[in-house]
Amino acid sequence: MSRLWNRRVASLDPYVPGEQPAALDLLKLNTNELPYGPSPKALAAIRAACDDTLRLYPDPTSMALRQAIAARFDTTADRVFVGNGSDEVLAHAFRGLVRDDAPLLFADVSYGFYPVYCGLFDQPYREIPLRSDFSIDVDDYTGTCGGIAIANPNANTGIALPAEDIERLAVAQPDSTIIVDEAYVDFGAQSAVSLTHRHDNILVVQTVSKSRALAGLRVGYAIGHPDLIEGLTRVKDSFNSYPLDRLAQIGAAAALEDTTWLNEATGRVIETRAQLAASLNDRGFHVLPSCANFILVQHPTHRATDIQQHLRDRHIIVRRLSHPRIQNWLRISIGTNQDSGRLLSALDDFRTF
Ligand SMILES: *Cc1c(COP(=O)(O)O)cnc(C)c1O
């Protein structure tokens, strides 16, 4: 607290990101990064772009990148918005596409940034409880609202909704923006991108941080009706006209074009996820069905904090979220098969499962 802080900053309750330790011998299974390096084509494009043109500001409209995204999703650049990570895209959507005279609706267990943005923007919100099996029932999202945010697959549970549920929601709430946060969609869920052509109130947000292994580049994007894109652009140009640097624009465009790399990397993660889930089941863990590059697990007798500490002592970090409904669960990012082996053998010398 400082006497120089205003009331708004004093009342903020900021998001706490997963730990990024400097020690490299740690096995990081805590922030859902891919264990594989990004597309070699993306790296080559970034290297080739390191020249004197860095003295110039980048294209404020990120047109080449938006065209690459449009080509990948069979749409046009006027339906694509890009930002400095999907976190920034989500922030602009909360700021510009949600009415602040009614609550924004999102699940009680979901991405922890949603209530944080609401705090920053004085946006009222209402948390809708997940069912007891942690799935979302879209029919619970009724009544007057300023907008709806759905992470699909859901953050921290990994459970996915079929696209038809998103469509039902868009029809039931025609005057609200349905923000579909698809950070993990490439690991086995159905995207709502094609729905954005039929429903002008669906905004799909994706990122290169997870499935493209480019968390360090900070690029996210949104796809939706040109009116939604124009709204986001108005917010962006009232805040930061150049959110994406030259290297990010060029690297992300090359990554988006490399679908062979994407399919191979996500295929490996999906395979490792199935094997790890089965091995943890064998050890008595309850594992939620995940369509993401993490699994949420609980042991019937051992406490999550004890398991987490035991793993940490063996230089493996996994994430425990503070929400009361999942505080006795651990979220484990999917690494390589070798990482799974290291995790399982560390668990095997924790008493006996
Ligand atoms: C990781 C994540 C994001 C943020 O992605 P960035 O593009 O790295 O900002 C957004 N939403 C969810 C649900 C995430 O898990």
Side-chain angles (χ1 to χ4, degrees), residues 85-88 90 111 114 151 155 181 183-184 207 209-210 218-220:
S86 61
D87 284 341
E88 186 182 80
L90 289 165
Y111 189 33
Y114 302 158
D181 180 354
Y184 300 105
T207 175
S209 296
K210 312 280 164 58
R218 309 307 302 131
V219 177

Side-chain angles (χ1 to χ4, degrees), residues 58-59 62 65 82-85 88 218-220 240-249 252:
D59 172 11
S62 297
L65 171 58
V82 295
N84 189 258
E88 186 182 80
R218 309 307 302 131
V219 177
N240 179 1
S241 316
Y242 302 102
L244 267 71
D245 63 73
R246 269 171 190 279
L247 304 181
Q249 293 185 29

